Amino acid sequence: HENTALQSRPPPEELNYGATAAHEGQGPSVSVSRNSPAKRKYLIAAVLCYANLINFMDWFIVPGILLDVQKYFELSDGDTGLLQTVFILCYMLAAPIFGYLGDRYDRKIILGAGIFLWSGVTLASSFISELYYWIFFLSRGLVGIGTASYSTIAPTIIADLFEEGKRTTMLSIFYIFIPVGSGLGYVLAAGMAEVTGDWHWAFRITPCMGGLALVLLILVVPHRTQRRIAAHRALSISGTIRVAAEKPGVQRTAKTTWCQDVISLAKNWSFVWSSLGLTAMAFVTGALGMWVPLFLYRAQVVQDIVPPCLQESCNSSNSLIFGGITIGTGILGVITGAEAARRLRKINNKADPLICATSMFISSLCLYIALMVAQMNILSTFIFIAFGELFLSVNWAVVTDILLYVVTPRRQSTAIALQILVSHLLGDAGSPYLIGVISNAIQDKNAHSFLWSFWSMQYSFIVCAFVGVCGGGFFLLTSFYIEEDRKEAER
């Protein structure tokens, strides 16, 4: 590990960053609040939360009308899963670039460019003909690049604005909009397809909301937060830092290179194991988000609850219900996770990773039960899927909070970007496609029927339960290193 300390007295804004503030004193909190009025900070956070809502609505518009898209472009299960994979691949490959830029350049300009890109491309994708399905795939990739700029940088702005107690609360609110936006994406897509009779209209609402977000961003969000200004001035004055871990006395420039940041993060075992735990979460949520409405539809066909969809516009009730479940369980899960973490930290310094591990194990069990009962009772399937999503949502804000207190401030955008890269590369970039490929392989080896169409997806989904258990194990490993790495970041 690399211990660093400014040769001159370190600025309080940097030492008392985020979760460490409560342990160091209250002085910086007073200083920051004088320079940045509370109302202004909450207004900035509100704008960022609103944009995050739109961000995740765009993510899940396609899954909300998946059956319509699959029929329109005549895609197999494997090709359909590739739609989300293209989106996530572009998203994760762009994330490290935006992480590098976010640590060094004007974050407001980067955020604005990202919102403009993903909103414009989403609108344009609604006019693509069925003959040019490859352009539709390309458009999803470009939307992924636009959203990467936002997801990488926005949390660091919130972290700059608030101290430990309020920071955890504000991050929890920010991350509530992941499930809320995801659920509203399903609801919007299914609702517009049902109201207009044309699924293309689902892609024409969020661009208008994105335009409003861009205007609010320009008017409200500053080019630099007070904490960044203070840290920048302090580093400019001191010029150098002292490495005090393995080789005391070695001098380096304050502005470390990207490679040095990556090497330091790779030695941070709390960051490594929690990122792998998040990867397992992403794998499960990516597969569920893409395929659950279609899986429920096939289960209902097998049970003769609904007839097979043969017309141009299919019934979207499963997407509406699943969207509502995602919103409700997301809000409840994120609030529950943040509150549990706040209370349990007082009695156990390892509370955060232990909460994440427990919730992953319970979620995996619930999802497995949901898969097993799907052919017999659709109501029980909905209930156990809801519990599975609830316990997954418990972890969103807690995992980010872990990163923010085990990583030093000047590396946080890079750390978030790397976490995004790894979690999506090994997680939801491949899981929708993998589920589709396994489903195709099972169908090809058996007679084509509605029953085997259901079974193929049921069997392929079991992979998610296994990966969820692995994720719980990764969070348990995080608990072995969390105290040491937190102290290291504070020093």
Side-chain angles (χ1 to χ4, degrees):
H1 296 287
E2 189 179 59
N3 282 341
T4 59
L6 293 173
Q7 282 184 307
S8 58
R9 188 175 185 272
E13 289 85 351
E14 196 159 317
L15 280 182
N16 297 343
Y17 191 90
T20 66
H23 301 283
E24 300 294 334
Q26 298 301 321
S29 176
V30 176
S31 175
V32 171
S33 62
R34 286 175 181 172
N35 294 323
S36 180
K39 290 183 180 180
R40 172 78 171 179
K41 291 192 291 185
Y42 287 118
L43 182 59
I44 293 169
V47 171
L48 295 175
C49 287
Y50 171 68
N52 202 34
L53 174 73
I54 305 166
N55 183 7
F56 281 90
M57 286 178 69
D58 274 333
W59 275 47
F60 288 92
I61 286 177
V62 170
I65 47 174
L66 191 61
L67 191 56
D68 291 308
V69 172
Q70 190 176 39
K71 287 183 60 182
Y72 183 78
F73 291 111
E74 298 181 355
L75 303 174
S76 66
D77 282 354
D79 292 335
T80 304
L82 192 61
L83 263 176
Q84 198 75 344
T85 295
V86 168
F87 174 90
I88 298 297
L89 280 172
C90 293
Y91 172 84
M92 72 180 191
L93 292 174
I97 298 173
F98 288 117
Y100 176 87
L101 296 175
D103 280 338
R104 292 160 177 81
Y105 300 102
D106 193 324
R107 293 180 293 182
K108 179 175 180 176
I109 294 176
I110 298 170
L111 289 180
I115 294 174
F116 179 81
L117 175 62
W118 94 57
S119 299
V121 173
T122 298
L123 178 62
S125 66
S126 68
F127 299 100
I128 298 173
S129 165
E130 69 270 20
L131 300 176
Y132 300 100
Y133 69 92
W134 61 272
I135 298 180
F136 190 74
F137 277 76
L138 177 62
S139 72
R140 296 309 295 166
L142 292 175
V143 172
I145 293 174
T147 57
S149 67
Y150 191 83
S151 296
T152 305
I153 295 171
T156 66
I157 297 178
I158 291 179
D160 280 355
L161 293 172
F162 300 95
E163 299 300 329
E164 180 182 11
K166 290 183 179 179
R167 177 176 59 82
T168 301
T169 301
M170 296 310 298
L171 280 173
S172 299
I173 294 172
F174 180 81
Y175 281 102
I176 278 175
F177 287 93
I178 293 179
V180 171
S182 303
L184 285 177
Y186 287 105
V187 172
L188 171 70
M192 291 303 298
E194 192 170 324
V195 170
T196 64
D198 182 3
W199 61 267
H200 292 86
W201 279 97
F203 292 90
R204 296 167 186 168
I205 303 301
T206 55
C208 299
M209 299 172 67
L212 175 60
L214 184 59
V215 172
L216 291 174
L217 179 80
I218 293 171
L219 296 177
V220 174
V221 178
H223 288 278
R224 275 188 182 179
T225 59
Q226 293 297 324
R227 197 184 295 276
R228 283 260 169 150
I229 294 171
H232 176 76
R233 287 174 178 170
L235 290 174
S236 298
I237 294 170
S238 63
T240 60
I241 60 175
R242 182 177 301 277
V243 178
E246 298 175 1
K247 296 181 180 180
V250 177
Q251 301 292 326
R252 294 186 185 178
T253 59
K255 293 184 179 179
T256 55
T257 66
W258 187 80
C259 289
Q260 287 173 323
D261 290 346
V262 171
I263 291 171
S264 176
L265 292 169
K267 296 177 181 179
N268 187 325
W269 287 109
S270 294
F271 171 75
V272 171
W273 290 121
S274 63
S275 295
L276 290 176
L278 181 63
T279 299
M281 287 174 55
F283 185 99
V284 176
T285 54
L288 293 179
M290 188 70 177
W291 291 111
V292 161
L294 188 58
F295 171 73
L296 294 170
Y297 159 76
R298 291 181 181 180
Q300 289 170 334
V301 170
V302 169
Q303 295 181 42
D304 292 326
I305 297 175
V306 298
C309 178
L310 302 176
Q311 66 268 27
E312 183 177 347
S313 182
C314 301
N315 188 301
S316 302
S317 61
N318 286 324
S319 293
L320 288 169
I321 296 172
F322 184 65
I325 289 173
T326 301
I327 294 171
T329 58
I331 294 173
L332 181 60
V334 171
I335 293 174
T336 302
E339 183 62 18
R342 187 182 68 82
R343 291 177 179 272
L344 293 177
R345 281 176 199 154
K346 298 175 182 178
I347 58 175
N348 190 337
N349 291 331
K350 300 179 179 181
D352 288 355
L354 292 177
I355 289 170
C356 293
T358 303
S359 64
M360 285 297 291
F361 289 138
I362 297 175
S363 175
S364 299
L365 177 61
C366 292
L367 293 175
Y368 181 78
I369 295 174
L371 295 175
M372 294 301 104
V373 302
Q375 189 174 341
M376 299 172 287
N377 191 314
I378 200 69
L379 178 60
S380 297
T381 306
F382 273 114
I383 291 172
F384 280 105
I385 285 176
F387 277 111
E389 284 211 303
L390 173 65
F391 284 101
L392 275 177
S393 299
V394 164
N395 292 352
W396 285 118
V398 181
V399 172
T400 302
D401 213 18
I402 290 174
L403 181 149
L404 291 173
Y405 65 66
V406 300
V407 176
T408 55
R410 68 176 180 278
R411 294 194 180 107
Q412 284 177 351
S413 287
T414 297
I416 290 175
L418 286 175
Q419 195 173 76
I420 287 173
L421 176 64
V422 173
S423 64
H424 291 299
L425 176 64
L426 303 177
D428 54 353
S431 63
Y433 181 61
L434 178 63
I435 298 300
V437 167
I438 295 174
S439 178
N440 273 355
I442 295 173
Q443 289 182 55
D444 291 342
K445 292 183 179 180
N446 297 278
H448 290 280
S449 66
F450 293 120
L451 186 59
W452 271 111
S453 178
F454 164 75
W455 279 344
S456 64
M457 188 148 289
Q458 182 188 45
Y459 297 152
S460 61
F461 258 137
I462 292 176
V463 175
C464 291
F466 173 75
V467 172
V469 172
C470 293
F474 291 138
F475 284 121
L476 279 181
L477 289 171
T478 305
S479 68
F480 296 137
Y481 301 94
I482 193 81
E483 291 179 290
E484 178 186 346
D485 290 333
R486 178 168 183 162
K487 292 176 182 177
E488 185 77 15
E490 290 176 6
R491 285 196 295 267

